[in-house]
């Protein structure tokens, strides 16, 4: 794999504890027309006469990741309807999304806790209360009817676009079939809690549904929204909900090439406030040699466990308990489709 593009100069400040410059280059439209929904608050669901799967496209699981909300607004204003089956468009964390402020764009990730860490049965059915748990409990009955789910996300730190599939092989097969973006990562999730794609309906080995998490690119960039739309449209075509494309969609260099599957071999969770990479790695970087030192977590050395180690979404300011990076190996024989 080619050496990734160099990072912007301001990211070098991270090694001294700084933050990257954050510029919002997309405008969040007026979403108030969609807050009421037609089946649940913030959820618009449309059925076709022809039978088919129930596909859900989910935006703003994190309220500051506005690209997906921009896309759903675009689709709703265009009157998008499925040719068969049922299509649900979900604005997930409405409360956090409604507080998005381009002058402080990271502040509205959630209200009380991460909506993408609460999807285990004990948490959903337990007595704990939060804004995000209330929303998860509202959405859960809908998700229990979904056959295919696409959760739209974006990234703070520089990285190539990718799809996370969790552990189910059926999810990896679907992501490879769609092929956009071409990097597919089968991962183990987070110690901090289960994501929507890990919810039992989608994440269990024998679950009836399948879910993908698209990391479409940098927060607040036009190209990220376009990647979401291209990948989402390809999924809907794969499900038979849209007519076949008339021609190939243009692709950026990061979106070109045949799909490849990588399997996570280690998920590195920061243990200390002093977790730091030795350099500001970009997501998608491949470290060629086993046992290469890439980070320090207090006195613990973080080294690559194998040759050709793919760094998946390194978080250059990971706090204790947060995922700092996933280390992955390419699977050359892929998953049978």
């Amino acid at each position: 794999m080619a050496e990734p593009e160099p990072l912007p100069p301001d990211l070098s400040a991270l090694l001294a504890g700084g933050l990257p410059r954050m510029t919002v280059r997309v405008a969040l439209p007026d979403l108030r027309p969609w807050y009421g929904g037609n089946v649940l608050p913030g959820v618009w669901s449309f059925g076709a006469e022809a039978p088919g799967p129930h596909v859900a496209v989910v935006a703003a699981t994190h309220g500051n990741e506005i690209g997906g909300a921009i896309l759903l607004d675009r689709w709703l204003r265009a009157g998008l309807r499925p040719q068969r089956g049922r299509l649900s468009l979900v604005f997930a964390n409405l409360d956090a999304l409604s507080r998005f402020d381009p002058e402080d764009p990271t502040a509205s990730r959630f209200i009380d806790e991460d909506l993408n860490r609460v999807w285990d049965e004990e948490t959903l059915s337990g007595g704990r209360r939060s804004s995000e748990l209330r929303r998860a409990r509202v959405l859960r009955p809908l998700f229990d009817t979904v056959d295919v789910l696409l959760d739209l996300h974006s990234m703070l730190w520089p990285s190539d676009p990718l799809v996370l599939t969790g552990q189910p092989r059926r999810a990896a097969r679907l992501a490879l079939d769609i092929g956009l973006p071409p990097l597919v990562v089968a991962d183990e999730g987070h110690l901090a809690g289960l994501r929507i794609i890990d919810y039992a309906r989608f994440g269990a080995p024998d679950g009836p549904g399948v879910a993908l998490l698209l990391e479409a690119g940098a927060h607040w960039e036009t190209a990220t929204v376009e990647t979401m739309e291209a990948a989402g449209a390809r999924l809907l075509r794969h499900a038979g909900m849209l007519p076949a494309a008339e021609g190939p969609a243009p692709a950026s260099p990061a979106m070109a090439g045949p799909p490849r599957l990588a399997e996570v071999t280690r998920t590195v969770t920061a243990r200390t406030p002093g977790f730091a990479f030795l350099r500001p790695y970009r997501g998608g970087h491949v470290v060629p040699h086993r046992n290469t030192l890439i980070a320090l977590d207090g006195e613990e050395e973080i080294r690559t466990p194998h040759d050709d180690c793919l760094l998946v979404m390194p978080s250059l300011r990971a706090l204790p308990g947060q995922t700092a990076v996933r280390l992955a190996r390419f699977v050359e024989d892929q998953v049978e489709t």
Side-chain angles (χ1 to χ4, degrees):
M1 176 176 286
E3 183 75 11
E5 296 179 3
L7 293 169
D10 58 308
L11 286 185
S12 63
L14 286 165
L15 296 182
L19 281 174
R21 184 182 304 111
M22 293 178 286
T23 303
V24 177
R25 294 186 172 88
V26 292
L28 186 64
D30 181 5
L31 300 176
R32 287 174 296 179
W34 316 125
Y35 280 6
N38 68 347
V39 292
L40 292 169
V43 179
W44 293 82
S45 191
F46 308 102
E49 291 186 5
H54 182 183
V55 175
V57 180
V58 180
T61 299
H62 297 133
N64 67 312
E65 297 178 19
I66 63 174
I70 293 170
L71 174 60
L72 295 198
D73 172 78
R74 182 183 299 174
W75 280 356
L76 285 163
R77 292 184 189 277
L80 178 67
R81 299 292 186 270
Q83 290 189 151
R84 68 185 188 105
R86 175 167 291 277
L87 173 63
S88 294
L89 305 178
V90 181
F91 296 92
N93 197 335
L94 279 176
D95 288 346
L97 178 62
S98 66
R99 299 187 187 187
F100 178 76
D101 179 0
E103 297 301 318
D104 190 9
T106 63
S108 60
R109 181 176 171 87
F110 53 78
I111 301 297
D112 297 318
E113 62 179 315
D114 194 328
L115 179 57
N116 218 27
R117 302 290 186 272
V118 300
W119 291 90
D120 62 281
E121 180 63 34
E122 181 179 358
T123 299
L124 290 169
S125 300
R128 197 171 88 228
R129 297 183 182 276
S130 69
S131 174
E132 279 71 26
L133 271 171
R134 284 194 299 272
R135 185 60 173 162
R137 289 161 182 156
V138 168
L139 294 176
R140 183 183 187 184
L142 174 81
F143 289 168
D144 281 338
T145 70
V146 168
D147 300 302
V148 180
L149 183 143
L150 177 63
D151 192 13
L152 302 174
H153 287 258
S154 54
M155 298 177 276
L156 177 61
W157 307 112
S159 176
D160 292 340
L162 69 147
V163 176
L164 298 174
T165 69
Q167 291 294 291
R169 306 300 278 181
R170 63 187 183 277
R173 286 194 297 270
L174 175 61
L176 290 168
D177 285 346
I178 294 168
L180 190 71
L183 178 57
V184 177
V185 178
D187 71 327
E188 301 169 337
H190 302 277
L191 287 179
L194 298 190
R195 304 163 296 186
I196 294 172
I197 67 168
D198 304 317
Y199 178 52
R201 180 173 181 84
F202 310 116
D206 57 350
V210 59
L212 306 176
L213 191 162
L214 172 63
E215 294 283 4
H219 294 332
W220 321 308
E221 297 285 347
T222 300
T224 299
V225 180
E226 301 312 315
T227 295
M228 290 177 175
E229 183 159 34
R234 190 172 289 193
L235 173 66
L236 297 184
R237 291 189 182 99
H238 184 273
M241 292 187 157
L242 294 180
E246 295 182 358
S252 68
M255 301 278 279
R260 296 188 74 188
L261 175 66
E263 293 184 338
V264 170
T265 55
R266 181 185 176 190
T267 298
V268 178
T269 302
R271 296 188 305 103
T272 72
F275 186 99
F277 288 95
L278 269 64
R279 54 165 288 191
Y281 288 105
R282 187 181 192 277
H285 180 76
V286 175
V287 179
H289 302 300
R290 176 184 178 276
N291 205 38
T292 299
L293 179 65
I294 60 171
L296 295 172
D297 192 1
E299 297 183 357
E300 180 186 0
E301 295 184 344
I302 309 299
R303 294 180 176 271
T304 52
H306 45 74
D307 292 343
D308 297 325
C309 184
L310 174 69
L311 305 188
V312 179
M313 295 177 62
S315 176
L316 303 183
R317 288 287 305 272
L319 300 175
Q322 294 180 343
T323 298
V325 66
R326 303 166 180 89
L327 308 178
R329 186 200 307 268
F330 285 106
V331 180
E332 297 304 333
D333 57 0
Q334 305 297 301
V335 177
E336 294 183 4
T337 58

